[in-house]
Amino acid sequence: MAENPRVAPRARFLAGPARSAGSGAFDVDAARADFPALRQRVHGRPLVYLDNAATTQKPRAVLAALRRHYVRDNANVRRGVHLLGERATAAYEGARAAVAHFVGAANAGEIVFTRGATEALNLVAQSFGRAHVGAGDEVVVSEMEHHANIVPWQMLCRAVGATLRVAPVDARGVLDEAAFAALLGARTKIVALAHVSNALGTRNPIAALAVRARAHGAIVVVDGAQAVAHAPVDVAALGCDFYAFSGHKLYGPTGVGALWGRAALLAAMPPWQGGGEMVRSVGWDEVAYEPAPYRFEAGTPPIAAAVGLAAAIAYLEGFDRAALAAHERDLLAYAADGLATVPGLRMIGEAPDKIGGHSFVLAGVHPHDVAAVLDGEGVAVRAGHHCAQPILRRFGVGATVRASFGLYNRRADVDRLIAGLAVVRRTFDP
Ligand code: PLP
């Protein structure tokens, strides 16, 4: 696909000098100072925020970018001929270029802004899916998917008479690759997989799985919602066809996410929502659509949120990502060791390649009660089914407690979690 002239080159949002590039060290205390929300006390105690898989806190750089946009550049995009309109358009298209660079896209025209990962996955299902999946075809997902990567495919399959096939996971929460391979065949049109499971923390070997799927001519859709904040993403190396994620899990604002798609696929896809901005001309008897990605962005897009997302990406890219990943790995291992000492605790998800956090249950105490007591101790965790009911059922539970980490978490936060679990024990089993 030719570069769209309206897509600005990578501009002002690309990261500045890396904060710790080359040093091999990640300074968690310095990073914490960037997040004003972390400074508060809850229920009289300093906040320990361990609900990052649900949404992350926002650094000052993102808050400042949002404020700057609304104070200085606020206007609608691609419409106004006035200066503010030009600035807003340049910022929005600059954000698209920043996202493209962030995921290793060939060009910014391969990035569609959406409301989040959920909308991005629905876009693929409703646009690509309805055009390419028919009666008797199959869509393959894994057992560990978030509802956002299940329900759109169920809706598609029901609408066109296709079948949803589910690849199982083993007792550790690892995808059974042999069973996955056995599901693939000439009828497989789409394979949709989480890069990282939000309920188990399992990271799937997407590159290897994509090779198998593509050998059968299937299109590979990756739900990257839980991956992007923790590891650099390169869609070319992954070998997938679509990659979806949300800004708010990446230290950016809510209300914006992105879909990367191969240019040739996007170019051939029909629009899925109609309205302003996605059309070239409209008459009573005919309509001409804009090219991708604009064809998929009906109505006023999330302009300020996209600007905030670009600032979040620049913030994240300002760190030495290898050092940051090492910090998060250390935290995960430290937490696993600590949780292993808690009497009656069962870990849900013990894959060798895990990132992001841990899910667990405590014998005899409902996860909601665990979370409520922890909240009283100032420790924010998630309790529930995490919008991944099928995989929790696979493990015989209806809910878990999930402690998930962001770049600003420290070993001391894990210590507070473990101490809080001792309070839970004393409360329910004195
Ligand atoms: N996929 C996964 C793995 C998730 O964890 C989530 C959110 O928790 C989503 C998709 C949906 O993200 P959003 O609600 O931001 O669209």
Side-chain angles (χ1 to χ4, degrees), residues 53-55 114-121 144-149 194-199 223-227 244-249 254-257 382 386-388 402:
T55 200
T114 63
R115 276 194 298 129
T118 301
E119 191 176 62
L121 294 164
M144 71 177 89
E145 300 308 318
H146 185 281
H147 297 167
N149 203 27
H195 198 169
V196 173
S197 156
N198 70 311
D223 170 1
Q226 293 297 341
F245 69 93
S246 299
H248 69 98
K249 294 183 196 287
T254 53
V256 68
R382 192 84 165 172
H386 316 300
C387 297
R402 183 182 68 193

Short mmCIF file of all heavy atoms in Angstrom, two decimals, residues 53-55 114-121 144-149 194-199 223-227 244-249 254-257 382 386-388 402, ligand 1:
data_model
loop_
_atom_site.label_atom_id
_atom_site.label_comp_id
_atom_site.label_asym_id
_atom_site.label_seq_id
_atom_site.Cartn_x
_atom_site.Cartn_y
_atom_site.Cartn_z
N ALA A 53 -2.84 -5.05 35.43
CA ALA A 53 -3.38 -5.76 34.26
C ALA A 53 -4.76 -5.20 33.91
O ALA A 53 -5.21 -5.31 32.77
CB ALA A 53 -3.46 -7.25 34.53
N ALA A 54 -5.44 -4.62 34.90
CA ALA A 54 -6.74 -4.00 34.62
C ALA A 54 -6.52 -2.63 33.99
O ALA A 54 -7.10 -2.32 32.94
CB ALA A 54 -7.56 -3.87 35.91
N THR A 55 -5.74 -1.82 34.63
CA THR A 55 -5.29 -0.56 34.01
C THR A 55 -4.10 -0.04 34.79
O THR A 55 -3.98 -0.31 36.00
CB THR A 55 -6.42 0.49 33.95
OG1 THR A 55 -6.09 1.47 32.96
CG2 THR A 55 -6.66 1.19 35.26
N THR A 114 -8.53 2.80 17.67
CA THR A 114 -9.82 2.26 18.13
C THR A 114 -10.03 2.75 19.56
O THR A 114 -9.18 3.46 20.11
CB THR A 114 -9.79 0.72 18.13
OG1 THR A 114 -8.79 0.29 19.07
CG2 THR A 114 -9.48 0.16 16.74
N ARG A 115 -11.13 2.31 20.16
CA ARG A 115 -11.35 2.65 21.57
C ARG A 115 -10.47 1.81 22.48
O ARG A 115 -10.26 2.13 23.63
CB ARG A 115 -12.81 2.41 21.94
CG ARG A 115 -13.73 3.56 21.61
CD ARG A 115 -15.07 3.38 22.31
NE ARG A 115 -15.72 2.18 21.87
CZ ARG A 115 -16.20 1.23 22.68
NH1 ARG A 115 -16.10 1.36 23.99
NH2 ARG A 115 -16.80 0.17 22.20
N GLY A 116 -10.01 0.67 21.99
CA GLY A 116 -9.19 -0.20 22.81
C GLY A 116 -9.02 -1.54 22.12
O GLY A 116 -9.43 -1.72 20.96
N ALA A 117 -8.45 -2.49 22.84
CA ALA A 117 -8.23 -3.83 22.27
C ALA A 117 -9.56 -4.47 21.88
O ALA A 117 -9.68 -5.12 20.84
CB ALA A 117 -7.50 -4.71 23.28
N THR A 118 -10.57 -4.28 22.73
CA THR A 118 -11.87 -4.90 22.46
C THR A 118 -12.41 -4.43 21.11
O THR A 118 -12.85 -5.25 20.28
CB THR A 118 -12.87 -4.54 23.58
OG1 THR A 118 -12.34 -4.99 24.82
CG2 THR A 118 -14.24 -5.16 23.33
N GLU A 119 -12.39 -3.13 20.89
CA GLU A 119 -12.93 -2.63 19.62
C GLU A 119 -12.06 -3.08 18.45
O GLU A 119 -12.57 -3.38 17.37
CB GLU A 119 -13.06 -1.10 19.64
CG GLU A 119 -13.87 -0.61 18.45
CD GLU A 119 -14.10 0.88 18.48
OE1 GLU A 119 -13.10 1.64 18.44
OE2 GLU A 119 -15.26 1.31 18.55
N ALA A 120 -10.77 -3.16 18.67
CA ALA A 120 -9.87 -3.59 17.58
C ALA A 120 -10.19 -5.03 17.16
O ALA A 120 -10.23 -5.36 15.97
CB ALA A 120 -8.42 -3.48 18.04
N LEU A 121 -10.43 -5.89 18.15
CA LEU A 121 -10.74 -7.30 17.84
C LEU A 121 -12.11 -7.41 17.17
O LEU A 121 -12.29 -8.19 16.22
CB LEU A 121 -10.67 -8.15 19.11
CG LEU A 121 -9.25 -8.25 19.71
CD1 LEU A 121 -9.28 -8.75 21.14
CD2 LEU A 121 -8.37 -9.15 18.84
N MET A 144 -7.34 -19.90 26.90
CA MET A 144 -6.97 -18.87 27.89
C MET A 144 -7.35 -17.46 27.45
O MET A 144 -6.86 -16.48 28.00
CB MET A 144 -5.46 -18.95 28.18
CG MET A 144 -4.59 -18.49 27.06
SD MET A 144 -2.83 -18.52 27.49
CE MET A 144 -2.36 -20.17 27.03
N GLU A 145 -8.24 -17.34 26.46
CA GLU A 145 -8.55 -16.00 25.96
C GLU A 145 -9.42 -15.18 26.91
O GLU A 145 -10.25 -15.70 27.64
CB GLU A 145 -9.26 -16.10 24.60
CG GLU A 145 -8.45 -16.79 23.52
CD GLU A 145 -7.05 -16.22 23.35
OE1 GLU A 145 -6.90 -14.98 23.37
OE2 GLU A 145 -6.10 -17.02 23.22
N HIS A 146 -9.21 -13.88 26.85
CA HIS A 146 -10.11 -12.89 27.47
C HIS A 146 -11.40 -12.89 26.67
O HIS A 146 -11.40 -13.18 25.47
CB HIS A 146 -9.41 -11.53 27.38
CG HIS A 146 -10.11 -10.39 28.06
ND1 HIS A 146 -11.17 -9.73 27.51
CD2 HIS A 146 -9.85 -9.78 29.25
CE1 HIS A 146 -11.55 -8.76 28.33
NE2 HIS A 146 -10.76 -8.77 29.39
N HIS A 147 -12.50 -12.54 27.32
CA HIS A 147 -13.79 -12.51 26.59
C HIS A 147 -13.71 -11.65 25.33
O HIS A 147 -14.43 -11.90 24.36
CB HIS A 147 -14.90 -11.99 27.50
CG HIS A 147 -15.15 -12.88 28.70
ND1 HIS A 147 -15.90 -12.50 29.78
CD2 HIS A 147 -14.73 -14.15 28.97
CE1 HIS A 147 -15.95 -13.48 30.67
NE2 HIS A 147 -15.23 -14.49 30.20
N ALA A 148 -12.85 -10.64 25.34
CA ALA A 148 -12.72 -9.76 24.17
C ALA A 148 -12.18 -10.50 22.95
O ALA A 148 -12.35 -10.05 21.82
CB ALA A 148 -11.79 -8.59 24.49
N ASN A 149 -11.52 -11.64 23.21
CA ASN A 149 -11.00 -12.43 22.10
C ASN A 149 -11.76 -13.77 21.98
O ASN A 149 -11.25 -14.73 21.42
CB ASN A 149 -9.49 -12.67 22.26
CG ASN A 149 -8.81 -12.98 20.93
OD1 ASN A 149 -9.27 -12.56 19.86
ND2 ASN A 149 -7.72 -13.73 20.99
N ALA A 194 -4.16 -14.81 22.49
CA ALA A 194 -3.58 -13.80 23.37
C ALA A 194 -2.06 -13.89 23.29
O ALA A 194 -1.50 -14.99 23.29
CB ALA A 194 -4.02 -14.07 24.81
N HIS A 195 -1.42 -12.74 23.25
CA HIS A 195 0.04 -12.73 23.36
C HIS A 195 0.41 -13.15 24.79
O HIS A 195 1.27 -13.99 24.99
CB HIS A 195 0.58 -11.34 23.02
CG HIS A 195 2.03 -11.32 22.69
ND1 HIS A 195 2.65 -10.23 22.16
CD2 HIS A 195 3.00 -12.26 22.81
CE1 HIS A 195 3.94 -10.49 21.98
NE2 HIS A 195 4.17 -11.72 22.36
N VAL A 196 -0.31 -12.52 25.75
CA VAL A 196 -0.14 -12.86 27.17
C VAL A 196 -1.53 -12.99 27.78
O VAL A 196 -2.39 -12.14 27.55
CB VAL A 196 0.66 -11.77 27.91
CG1 VAL A 196 0.69 -12.04 29.42
CG2 VAL A 196 2.08 -11.66 27.37
N SER A 197 -1.74 -14.04 28.56
CA SER A 197 -3.04 -14.25 29.20
C SER A 197 -3.20 -13.33 30.41
O SER A 197 -2.31 -13.28 31.27
CB SER A 197 -3.16 -15.71 29.67
OG SER A 197 -4.09 -15.80 30.73
N ASN A 198 -4.33 -12.66 30.47
CA ASN A 198 -4.55 -11.77 31.63
C ASN A 198 -4.90 -12.54 32.88
O ASN A 198 -4.73 -12.04 33.99
CB ASN A 198 -5.67 -10.75 31.32
CG ASN A 198 -7.02 -11.41 31.25
OD1 ASN A 198 -7.20 -12.42 30.59
ND2 ASN A 198 -8.00 -10.84 31.94
N ALA A 199 -5.38 -13.77 32.74
CA ALA A 199 -5.80 -14.54 33.91
C ALA A 199 -4.68 -15.41 34.46
O ALA A 199 -4.67 -15.73 35.65
CB ALA A 199 -7.00 -15.40 33.56
N ASP A 223 -4.05 -10.76 20.33
CA ASP A 223 -4.55 -9.85 21.35
C ASP A 223 -3.36 -9.50 22.25
O ASP A 223 -2.95 -10.29 23.10
CB ASP A 223 -5.66 -10.55 22.15
CG ASP A 223 -6.08 -9.76 23.38
OD1 ASP A 223 -5.54 -8.67 23.61
OD2 ASP A 223 -6.95 -10.26 24.11
N GLY A 224 -2.83 -8.31 22.02
CA GLY A 224 -1.62 -7.91 22.74
C GLY A 224 -1.88 -7.06 23.97
O GLY A 224 -0.95 -6.46 24.51
N ALA A 225 -3.13 -7.06 24.45
CA ALA A 225 -3.49 -6.15 25.55
C ALA A 225 -2.57 -6.28 26.76
O ALA A 225 -2.20 -5.29 27.38
CB ALA A 225 -4.94 -6.39 25.98
N GLN A 226 -2.17 -7.53 27.08
CA GLN A 226 -1.35 -7.72 28.29
C GLN A 226 0.14 -7.81 27.98
O GLN A 226 0.93 -8.07 28.89
CB GLN A 226 -1.79 -8.99 29.03
CG GLN A 226 -3.18 -8.89 29.63
CD GLN A 226 -3.30 -7.81 30.70
OE1 GLN A 226 -2.30 -7.35 31.26
NE2 GLN A 226 -4.52 -7.40 30.98
N ALA A 227 0.51 -7.63 26.75
CA ALA A 227 1.93 -7.79 26.39
C ALA A 227 2.65 -6.46 26.24
O ALA A 227 3.80 -6.32 26.66
CB ALA A 227 2.04 -8.58 25.08
N ALA A 244 -3.69 -6.29 18.27
CA ALA A 244 -4.59 -5.34 18.94
C ALA A 244 -4.10 -5.03 20.35
O ALA A 244 -3.63 -5.93 21.05
CB ALA A 244 -5.99 -5.95 19.03
N PHE A 245 -4.22 -3.77 20.76
CA PHE A 245 -3.91 -3.45 22.16
C PHE A 245 -4.62 -2.17 22.60
O PHE A 245 -5.17 -1.44 21.77
CB PHE A 245 -2.40 -3.34 22.40
CG PHE A 245 -1.73 -2.15 21.76
CD1 PHE A 245 -1.58 -0.96 22.45
CD2 PHE A 245 -1.27 -2.22 20.46
CE1 PHE A 245 -0.95 0.14 21.88
CE2 PHE A 245 -0.65 -1.12 19.86
CZ PHE A 245 -0.49 0.05 20.56
N SER A 246 -4.62 -1.95 23.92
CA SER A 246 -5.26 -0.78 24.52
C SER A 246 -4.22 0.16 25.09
O SER A 246 -3.23 -0.30 25.68
CB SER A 246 -6.16 -1.22 25.69
OG SER A 246 -7.16 -2.08 25.25
N GLY A 247 -4.48 1.45 25.01
CA GLY A 247 -3.54 2.43 25.55
C GLY A 247 -3.47 2.44 27.07
O GLY A 247 -2.41 2.67 27.66
N HIS A 248 -4.60 2.17 27.71
CA HIS A 248 -4.63 2.38 29.17
C HIS A 248 -3.87 1.32 29.96
O HIS A 248 -3.58 1.52 31.14
CB HIS A 248 -6.09 2.44 29.65
CG HIS A 248 -6.83 1.16 29.57
ND1 HIS A 248 -6.98 0.34 30.66
CD2 HIS A 248 -7.45 0.52 28.55
CE1 HIS A 248 -7.68 -0.73 30.31
NE2 HIS A 248 -7.98 -0.64 29.02
N LYS A 249 -3.52 0.21 29.30
CA LYS A 249 -2.71 -0.80 29.99
C LYS A 249 -1.22 -0.54 29.77
O LYS A 249 -0.37 -1.31 30.18
CB LYS A 249 -3.09 -2.20 29.50
CG LYS A 249 -4.54 -2.58 29.86
CD LYS A 249 -4.87 -3.98 29.42
CE LYS A 249 -6.35 -4.27 29.41
NZ LYS A 249 -6.95 -4.42 30.72
N THR A 254 -7.37 6.03 29.00
CA THR A 254 -8.45 5.15 28.57
C THR A 254 -9.07 5.74 27.30
O THR A 254 -8.87 6.91 26.97
CB THR A 254 -9.54 5.03 29.65
OG1 THR A 254 -9.95 6.35 30.02
CG2 THR A 254 -9.04 4.29 30.88
N GLY A 255 -9.82 4.91 26.60
CA GLY A 255 -10.57 5.42 25.45
C GLY A 255 -9.83 5.35 24.14
O GLY A 255 -10.37 5.76 23.11
N VAL A 256 -8.61 4.82 24.15
CA VAL A 256 -7.88 4.69 22.89
C VAL A 256 -7.11 3.37 22.88
O VAL A 256 -6.63 2.90 23.91
CB VAL A 256 -6.91 5.87 22.64
CG1 VAL A 256 -5.74 5.85 23.63
CG2 VAL A 256 -6.39 5.87 21.20
N GLY A 257 -7.03 2.79 21.72
CA GLY A 257 -6.22 1.59 21.51
C GLY A 257 -5.88 1.57 20.04
O GLY A 257 -6.18 2.52 19.30
N ARG A 382 -6.89 -7.27 42.06
CA ARG A 382 -8.14 -7.59 41.38
C ARG A 382 -8.67 -8.92 41.89
O ARG A 382 -7.89 -9.84 42.12
CB ARG A 382 -7.84 -7.75 39.88
CG ARG A 382 -9.06 -7.80 39.03
CD ARG A 382 -9.48 -6.41 38.75
NE ARG A 382 -10.42 -6.33 37.67
CZ ARG A 382 -11.03 -5.20 37.38
NH1 ARG A 382 -10.80 -4.11 38.07
NH2 ARG A 382 -11.88 -5.16 36.38
N HIS A 386 -11.94 -11.99 35.82
CA HIS A 386 -11.00 -11.31 34.91
C HIS A 386 -11.46 -11.37 33.46
O HIS A 386 -10.64 -11.35 32.54
CB HIS A 386 -9.57 -11.87 35.05
CG HIS A 386 -9.16 -12.07 36.47
ND1 HIS A 386 -9.11 -11.05 37.38
CD2 HIS A 386 -8.84 -13.20 37.15
CE1 HIS A 386 -8.75 -11.52 38.56
NE2 HIS A 386 -8.59 -12.83 38.45
N CYS A 387 -12.78 -11.46 33.25
CA CYS A 387 -13.32 -11.56 31.88
C CYS A 387 -12.66 -12.71 31.13
O CYS A 387 -12.34 -12.59 29.93
CB CYS A 387 -13.15 -10.26 31.10
SG CYS A 387 -14.05 -8.90 31.84
N ALA A 388 -12.40 -13.79 31.84
CA ALA A 388 -11.80 -14.97 31.21
C ALA A 388 -12.41 -16.21 31.87
O ALA A 388 -11.70 -17.07 32.39
CB ALA A 388 -10.28 -14.93 31.38
N ARG A 402 -5.85 -11.55 41.65
CA ARG A 402 -4.75 -11.32 40.71
C ARG A 402 -3.94 -10.12 41.16
O ARG A 402 -4.49 -9.03 41.34
CB ARG A 402 -5.30 -11.06 39.29
CG ARG A 402 -4.19 -10.88 38.26
CD ARG A 402 -4.77 -10.57 36.88
NE ARG A 402 -5.40 -9.27 36.86
CZ ARG A 402 -6.21 -8.83 35.89
NH1 ARG A 402 -6.48 -9.61 34.86
NH2 ARG A 402 -6.75 -7.63 35.94
N1 PLP B 1 -7.49 -8.81 26.08
C1 PLP B 1 -6.90 -9.02 27.25
C2 PLP B 1 -5.91 -10.15 27.39
C3 PLP B 1 -7.18 -8.19 28.33
O1 PLP B 1 -6.58 -8.39 29.51
C4 PLP B 1 -8.11 -7.14 28.16
C5 PLP B 1 -8.48 -6.28 29.29
O2 PLP B 1 -8.35 -6.64 30.43
C6 PLP B 1 -8.69 -6.96 26.90
C7 PLP B 1 -8.36 -7.82 25.89
C8 PLP B 1 -9.66 -5.87 26.64
O3 PLP B 1 -9.07 -4.63 26.79
P1 PLP B 1 -9.98 -3.33 26.77
O4 PLP B 1 -11.04 -3.54 27.82
O5 PLP B 1 -9.04 -2.23 27.12
O6 PLP B 1 -10.56 -3.21 25.41
#
